[in-house]
Amino acid sequence: GCAGERNAAPPVTEQTDANTFAPELLPAAENVNEWTLADFPGCFDSEWETARAEITLGEDLSVTVLCGEADGPAVYVVAGVHGDETAGWRAGNLLKNACLRAGTLYIISPANVYGAANDQRKTAEERDLNRNFPGDADGCVAAEIFSDIAQRQPVLLLDLHEAHEASDNGADALGNSLICDASGETGELIWEMLLASENGTLCASPLTLYGSPSRGSINRTVTEQLEIPAITVETLRTEPLAQRVRNHLEIVKYVLQYENML
């Protein structure tokens, strides 16, 4: 495969996007089902030769594999574990048409196929998929996803979500945030992303860092059981859908640049 070792010292990357509040960087909301990466200028504009494959993991579930010409690390993106968190899986679907200079990008989107199709958080069995990892081996979606991540051994997992704004009881108040165990090399990446969001060159609003992902979540399970760093990205539902999708795309782009894959 084209996945190799992480560079010993990831290069310092330049984020060239202007402040992403600019409305000209967003597509029209009424064309949501026709959006392409070209509707999000500055995110994935390059056209490197990229090999593409679709691998079936289970019924209605597949992983898209993008492989750049040059050797490089592997990054894994899982989007739409919660089916009604539309921005995550829409961004994940768009990423399937991205181009890589190096390395391998794995994309599962939407992870909760039934939930995305029916605009609901849970699966057809009324399970919260993000509380069921690593799952059991008897046809469980969580187990299929977890097993593939374990097989691929990426240097990083990105888990794309979105959340509501803060409520009186503090429930689901995670919008515009990163959730991870920010230690080791991942800590350096997280710090750079937080600073970039503060100075207006990454996402439309500053990002907040949270730790302690939920038990049974893909983030916590992959981090603890596979020792693979995981970052959950939460956009804020009160922002326009196009902006939330762009935020996800910008964050994935930032990570891939950090890993010298773009």
Side-chain angles (χ1 to χ4, degrees), residues 106-165:
Y106 299 97
I107 305 162
I108 294 181
S109 179
N112 180 354
V113 177
Y114 178 88
N118 292 277
D119 193 29
Q120 75 171 42
R121 178 183 177 90
K122 297 181 179 180
T123 65
E125 297 77 25
E126 285 297 311
R127 291 180 178 176
D128 185 335
L129 182 57
N130 210 34
R131 300 296 181 271
N132 279 271
F133 285 91
D136 58 67
D138 188 20
C140 174
V141 173
E144 291 167 350
I145 296 172
F146 182 81
S147 176
D148 197 63
I149 295 170
Q151 176 185 343
R152 308 297 182 182
Q153 287 294 303
V155 298
L156 181 68
L157 168 71
L158 289 171
D159 171 35
L160 307 187
H161 288 254
E162 57 181 338
H164 295 287
E165 63 182 341

Side-chain angles (χ1 to χ4, degrees), residues 15 190-203 254:
Q15 301 295 320
I190 291 294
W191 180 245
E192 290 189 12
M193 292 169 71
L194 294 174
L195 289 177
S197 74
E198 285 285 346
N199 67 32
T201 58
L202 177 66
C203 299
Y254 195 103

Side-chain angles (χ1 to χ4, degrees), residues 27 35 37 64 104 172 190 261:
W35 289 351
L37 282 176
T64 301
T104 308
D172 201 18
I190 291 294
M261 295 167 66

Side-chain angles (χ1 to χ4, degrees), residues 196-247:
S197 74
E198 285 285 346
N199 67 32
T201 58
L202 177 66
C203 299
S205 303
L207 298 168
T208 302
L209 175 63
Y210 293 100
S212 303
S214 301
R215 185 174 300 278
S217 66
I218 189 172
N219 185 319
R220 182 165 177 172
T221 308
V222 165
T223 300
E224 292 183 350
Q225 297 193 21
L226 301 180
E227 297 184 343
I228 294 171
I231 301 173
T232 296
V233 181
E234 297 273 7
T235 56
L236 180 61
R237 295 195 200 205
T238 54
E239 293 183 348
L241 176 60
Q243 183 63 70
R244 284 140 51 199
V245 170
R246 183 175 179 92
N247 288 349

